[in-house]
Amino acid sequence: MCFLLIGYFQDRFAWFVLRFMIGVVINPLYVLGEVWALSMAPPSRRGRVMGVFNTLMGVGYASGPLVLTFVGTAGWTPFVIAIVGFLACAAVLRILSDLSGFEDDGQSKGGVLGFAALAPALLFAVLVSAANQQSTYSLLPVFGAAHGLPEAMLAAMLTALSMGNILLQIPLGLMAERVGGRTMILFCAAATAICAVLLQLLIGTPLIWVVLVVMGAVGYGVYTMALVELGNRFNGSLLVAGNAAFALMWGFGGMVGPPSSGMVMQTFGPIGLPAVLASLNILLLAFAFYRAAARRRTAG
């Protein structure tokens, strides 16, 4: 309905309202889709299931702009494609709605705030992943342009990030099944920090393409591994509250990450982007180790 109304009302003020409404109605699909996947995934295969889930999410993000390159942005064609896509989504959900695998166990107390008290490190991981992703996609072209790279290469760099995100989430999920989601969060955060340093060191060499593919995978991998850990630790109402909290932290990270990174770049030059990315992931590692030490003291 929102896409239909955007196509009908050729008015920029109406578009702002309708675009806001799209955000309101799409976000529950995102949150409850993750709840559904986590609920149905067998614990022994949760890593690969969420790897597939986020791979398809990456394909979806990439396919939207790709469709527009073929059909353009004029006329009703792009709106019709979006409308047909969501109607097909609704039909599939209706057919499979009895397979949700979710049962309300009454565990949730305090909703999102209650969950935040139980798993602050997981929420911080989501915030860092969101800040990483949004800052990198927003400012990598600015970073590359500051190093004198041609415009075509700047676009290719973003494609390399997306390819890493799409191709490597499943292998990361398989690794999580072997060593656990918590360990993989630490691995992905450490790898992202290293990639951020290499981004500055290798920007003028062919190895930058390897760095970008790996960075796209492990940067978003922090979020995928946080989802795996969420499914391993919580179920029922707490799982729903956790996914809602994840969505809020993702949005918050996306809002504060790019402006903060941009200000640092404005002050210190292009090195500000890798510096911010590395610092965020080092903070995540430090907080995770602090929480682990605190749990050991409490258990002792």
Side-chain angles (χ1 to χ4, degrees), residues 40 49-50 152 233:
M40 294 187 67
V49 169
M50 297 318 297
R233 290 176 56 185

Side-chain angles (χ1 to χ4, degrees), residues 230-245:
L230 175 68
N232 289 340
R233 290 176 56 185
F234 302 101
N235 53 56
S237 300
L238 276 176
L239 186 60
V240 177
N243 271 106

